[in-house]
């Protein structure tokens, strides 16, 4: 809203381009529904006192033209995506609560160390757990899934474009209990993807092949993703590797150290560690998981 009235510099190019009348048109529309206040002495409009109220904003914009509504939402989403991408690059993006074991990952508890602290009010137990997460799909497993398919649209696909001399192999399976013609996507390194796609969108980027044709690329990415990030796999290098930093993007196997139990009793020490860290290591990530043997755990990731 501040960028619309000229108080802040726009983070993204508005719909229609930098030289379009987007801001002028949106200003006039929002003045008409009472979200902006027209000041005759100022060139631009000023913000209404309730401009941060989402419910009021959504209610009022129903009164403007549909094409302007669409442009306003596009500008909002472009700005939001820009902010999120910058936060990820700076390592300060908060993913909220991370779930492990709920989307098909194989989670195993490798080790647990228990610490008991004595205080004037009694004792407090804190536990440091080491767990491993495997989210990839070996070719043998996905081949078994292929034998159980029921429609000709489902199966293995290879990307139309090559990157770093390699093609991306995916496995497509019809989604159950959802809108017709939506499909689940499985990748060698990250398994089942959260987003469903239509066959029309899939065929824009991939072509259907037999399992034998996809086997080489599937196995290559699966094996590489045990230790090599997606940047290095697809581009041949990774900026983080070049400065001797770790990168976990696209890895199928990850190790987590999770602090659970009476975390507050050691909170001051945790804060001291975070204060000396930089980038993604300086933020906290809350995690909940379910291991292969049914054990459940909630705690904070220690990187």
């Amino acid at each position: 809203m501040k960028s619309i009235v000229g108080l802040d510099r726009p983070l993204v190019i508005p719909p229609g381009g930098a030289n379009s009348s987007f801001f002028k048109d949106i200003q006039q529309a929002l003045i008409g529904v009472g979200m902006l206040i027209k000041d005759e002495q100022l060139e631009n409009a000023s913000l209404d006192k309730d401009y941060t109220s989402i419910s009021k904003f959504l209610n009022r914009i129903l009164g403007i033209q549909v094409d302007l509504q669409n442009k306003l939402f596009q500008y909002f989403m472009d700005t939001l995506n820009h902010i999120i991408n910058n936060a990820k690059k700076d390592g300060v993006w908060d993913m909220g609560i991370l779930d492990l074991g709920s989307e098909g990952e194989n989670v195993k508890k490798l080790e647990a160390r228990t610490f008991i602290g004595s205080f004037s009010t009694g004792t407090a137990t804190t536990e440091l757990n080491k767990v491993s997460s495997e989210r990839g799909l070996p070719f043998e497993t996905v081949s078994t899934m292929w034998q159980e398919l029921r429609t000709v649209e489902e199966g293995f696909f290879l990307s139309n474009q090559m990157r770093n001399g390699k093609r991306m192999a995916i496995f497509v399976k019809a989604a159950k209990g959802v809108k017709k013609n939506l499909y689940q996507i499985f990748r060698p390194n990250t398994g089942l993807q959260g987003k469903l796609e239509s066959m029309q969108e899939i065929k824009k980027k991939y072509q259907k092949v037999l399992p034998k044709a996809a086997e080489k690329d599937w196995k290559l990415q699966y094996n590489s993703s045990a230790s090599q990030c997606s940047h290095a796999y697809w581009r041949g290098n990774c900026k983080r590797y070049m400065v001797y930093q770790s990168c976990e993007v696209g890895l199928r196997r990850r190790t987590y150290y999770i602090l659970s139990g009476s975390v507050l009793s050691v909170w001051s020490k945790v804060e001291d560690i975070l204060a000396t860290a930089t980038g993604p290591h300086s933020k906290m990530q809350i995690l909940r998981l379910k291991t292969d043997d049914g054990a459940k755990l909630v705690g904070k990731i220690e990187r």
Side-chain angles (χ1 to χ4, degrees), residues 13-215:
I13 299 175
N19 296 323
S20 68
S21 60
F22 170 77
F23 291 116
K24 181 179 178 180
D25 294 341
I26 290 295
Q27 276 192 33
Q28 293 299 322
L30 293 179
I31 289 173
V33 295
M35 285 303 296
L36 295 180
I37 301 171
K38 179 62 176 177
D39 191 331
E40 301 297 338
Q41 298 179 352
L42 299 176
E43 182 179 348
N44 291 325
S46 58
L47 296 170
D48 180 75
K49 61 182 179 66
D50 296 327
Y51 79 96
T52 57
S53 172
I54 298 297
S55 60
K56 181 177 180 179
F57 173 77
L58 294 175
N59 181 268
R60 293 294 180 87
I61 64 172
L62 294 176
I64 68 177
Q65 296 178 12
V66 175
D67 62 325
L68 288 179
Q69 290 183 35
N70 293 335
K71 289 181 180 179
L72 182 58
F73 275 113
Q74 181 184 340
Y75 179 67
F76 170 78
M77 291 306 301
D78 290 345
T79 301
L80 179 62
N81 290 332
H82 179 84
I83 294 173
I84 291 175
N85 289 334
N86 281 346
K88 288 181 177 179
K89 290 178 182 178
D90 295 338
V92 295
W93 171 245
D94 185 0
M95 297 173 57
I97 298 177
L98 175 64
D99 275 301
L100 286 182
S102 61
E103 297 294 339
E105 308 101 330
N106 295 316
V107 182
K108 294 182 180 180
K109 191 173 182 178
L110 304 178
E111 183 183 346
R113 299 177 63 185
T114 301
F115 304 89
I116 301 177
S118 298
F119 304 91
S120 58
T121 56
T123 59
T125 302
T126 306
E127 195 172 71
L128 181 63
N129 300 273
K130 180 181 179 181
V131 301
S132 68
S133 171
E134 171 68 61
R135 55 181 179 164
L137 275 178
F139 186 76
E140 293 72 22
T141 300
V142 78
S143 294
T144 302
M145 295 169 60
W146 176 79
Q147 296 174 5
E148 300 172 353
L149 298 180
R150 298 184 178 181
T151 68
V152 295
E153 296 283 5
E154 302 170 287
F156 288 93
F157 286 74
L158 282 179
S159 62
N160 296 323
Q161 295 183 346
M162 294 188 69
R163 290 190 290 172
N164 197 26
K166 300 181 282 286
R167 294 188 187 274
M168 178 179 290
I170 63 171
F171 182 75
V172 174
K173 183 179 180 182
K176 297 180 180 179
V178 296
K179 184 179 178 181
K180 191 178 180 181
N181 297 328
L182 288 180
Y183 294 83
Q184 294 176 317
I185 308 295
F186 296 82
R187 300 187 188 278
N189 57 326
T190 54
L192 176 62
Q193 306 301 292
K195 181 183 177 183
L196 301 177
E197 293 194 29
S198 66
M199 185 53 63
Q200 181 181 3
E201 289 297 320
I202 294 172
K203 288 184 175 180
K204 287 181 180 179
K205 299 174 287 186
Y206 303 91
Q207 56 181 321
K208 194 171 186 295
V209 297
L210 293 173
K212 192 66 177 177
E215 182 177 2

Side-chain angles (χ1 to χ4, degrees), residues 268-283:
S268 61
K269 296 185 180 297
V270 173
E271 285 185 323
D272 291 341
I273 295 174
L274 292 176
T276 60
T278 58
H281 301 283
S282 63
K283 66 184 183 70

Side-chain angles (χ1 to χ4, degrees), residues 133-134 136 188-190 219-230 233 241 247-255:
S133 171
E134 171 68 61
N189 57 326
T190 54
K219 288 184 174 181
L220 182 61
Q221 187 174 9
Y222 177 82
N223 293 330
S224 298
S225 62
S227 58
Q228 187 180 46
C229 72
S230 292
Y233 182 78
Y241 286 168
C247 181
E248 296 184 340
V249 175
L251 293 185
R252 65 177 172 87
R253 185 180 299 157
R254 292 180 174 182
T255 300

Side-chain angles (χ1 to χ4, degrees), residues 255-267:
T255 300
Y256 299 92
Y257 293 89
I258 306 166
L259 196 64
S260 63
S262 183
V263 178
L264 291 178
S265 64
V266 293
W267 194 253

